[in-house]
């Protein structure tokens, strides 16, 4: 006797989530079923609410409730600096630091020959348009330090090369708290090449 | 700039799931947001569907689409045997084996003095009613082999003691694939006490 069909369909939908297999999805659904008859309805309403009220910002691709997101509308943010990231999650990570005061540009992924992701699948044209607007002075290419992130940064650096903006990339090196012994060779090489003088 | 309020409310709702913290909940929500504008709406519909169409079986507490679940309605199941389990997930685990052909009784938890869970919080009265019906010959107490599961089984065994049914409990012993070296003392002790003669 399997679970009723509507429950199975729900489980199947949940297995699409990153890192969620059938076992975890089933656990989630049984938890909701057990909690209360209305717990699932509540969650359904929350989901519908969120789905109906947010969309990608037309300028930068971050999550917005109107045409533009809170960053793009915030007069306190430095409009001369744009930090290019792969995903909304990256924006959240950078905001957690509380250091950066500029705007963002969410690409929505990285270039990947393997997965057939080209510039047209990402918010690349939008980035070039923003830079063409003239207000931007610096573009920080904060894509990942893996092969695809590096390729994407290189591609964007070239595309932005002749537009009179400063193009930068966050420093690579030894992450805090790690011992030299267990570092991979590439990180260690880059850390050594990028070494800096320290005070007297 | 935090995420919009409806998105934050959704994340907060998801952190109620077992094993899901804010980080995982955020990852789930961003995945839905990124997938497509309608992915979240689809999931909301699936949830509302499931929430609206299932409820606990009035007899045994398993997930049902009508008053009684598929097990209780199935004429092919052995109505003389009732397997008492803590949760719906336990039923699924036993069904996966494909061995058991009787009915179930989902308690909805275990007795716990610590958490203030008494017999009235579980489907105990319903179990006694079923047994009083006269059709049941054997009750298998398949609660967990931990302290609370054992206590619950003991409590039920006593409550069922004078009702003329056979009350059993699944065997405890060495789980398949494990080496003696790493077994806990209680399991090993029980396995030794429950030793059986093997063929010539």
């Amino acid at each position: 006797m399997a679970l009723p069909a509507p429950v199975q369909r729900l489980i199947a939908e949940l297995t699409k989530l990153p890192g969620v297999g059938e076992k975890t999805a089933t656990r989630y659904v049984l938890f909701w079923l057990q909690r209360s008859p209305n717990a699932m309805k509540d969650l359904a309403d929350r989901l519908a609410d969120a789905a109906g009220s947010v969309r990608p910002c037309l300028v930068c691709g971050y999550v917005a409730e109107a045409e533009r997101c809170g960053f793009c509308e915030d007069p306190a943010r430095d409009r001369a600096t744009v930090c290019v990231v792969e995903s909304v999650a990256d924006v959240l990570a950078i905001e957690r630091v509380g250091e950066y005061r500029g705007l963002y540009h969410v690409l929505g992924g990285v270039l990947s020959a393997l997965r057939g992701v080209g510039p047209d699948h990402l918010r690349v044209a939008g980035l070039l348009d923003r830079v063409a607007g003239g207000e931007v002075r610096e573009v920080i290419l904060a894509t990942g330090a893996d092969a695809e992130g590096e390729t994407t940064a290189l591609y964007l650096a070239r595309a932005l090369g002749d537009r009179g903006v400063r193009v930068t990339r966050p420093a690579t090196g030894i992450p805090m708290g790690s011992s030299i012994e267990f570092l991979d060779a590439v990180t260690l090489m880059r850390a050594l090449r990028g070494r800096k003088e320290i005070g007297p």
Side-chain angles (χ1 to χ4, degrees), chain A:
Chain A
M1 202 68 43
L3 289 163
V7 177
Q8 285 191 0
R9 280 194 295 269
L10 177 58
I11 290 172
E13 186 72 33
L14 289 174
T15 56
K16 294 177 187 164
L17 284 171
V20 175
E22 201 184 319
K23 218 163 179 176
T24 304
T26 306
R27 199 153 51 97
Y28 290 171
V29 172
L30 293 182
F31 172 82
W32 282 317
L33 283 173
Q34 200 167 320
R35 233 175 99 213
S36 97
N38 290 322
M40 277 165 92
K41 190 74 191 57
D42 282 356
L43 182 63
D45 292 345
R46 289 274 149 83
L47 266 163
D49 266 9
S53 63
V54 300
R55 65 188 108 167
C57 170
L58 286 182
V59 178
C60 76
Y62 185 69
V63 186
E65 287 186 276
E67 287 204 342
R68 285 148 181 265
C69 72
F71 293 112
C72 290
E73 290 290 3
D74 186 353
R77 305 288 303 206
D78 167 22
R79 316 192 73 78
T81 315
V82 171
C83 180
V84 178
V85 293
E86 298 176 16
S87 71
V88 169
D90 297 338
V91 173
L92 297 178
I94 295 174
E95 284 299 298
R96 233 172 277 134
V97 180
E99 174 85 14
Y100 181 68
R101 297 301 303 159
L103 300 180
Y104 289 97
H105 195 86
V106 181
L107 289 175
V110 277
L111 296 176
S112 167
L114 211 69
R115 285 177 290 114
V117 181
D120 296 345
H121 300 93
L122 307 176
R123 284 191 193 85
V124 170
L127 176 64
L128 300 181
D129 284 351
R130 282 179 84 175
V131 171
E135 209 175 13
V136 180
R137 296 274 178 79
E138 178 177 356
V139 175
I140 305 171
L141 299 174
T143 51
D146 52 357
E148 293 181 340
E150 296 278 356
T151 308
T152 307
L154 216 67
Y155 172 88
L156 292 174
R158 266 185 218 144
L160 291 163
D162 51 353
R163 301 197 180 217
V165 290
R166 198 176 160 220
V167 179
T168 58
R169 186 137 170 77
T172 50
I174 304 172
M176 290 307 294
S178 65
S179 63
I180 302 290
E181 180 181 359
F182 301 111
L183 273 181
D184 64 290
V186 178
T187 300
L188 200 50
M189 180 196 74
R190 287 193 176 197
L192 287 172
R193 283 189 190 166
R195 66 190 179 279
K196 287 181 179 172
E197 221 149 326
I198 57 169

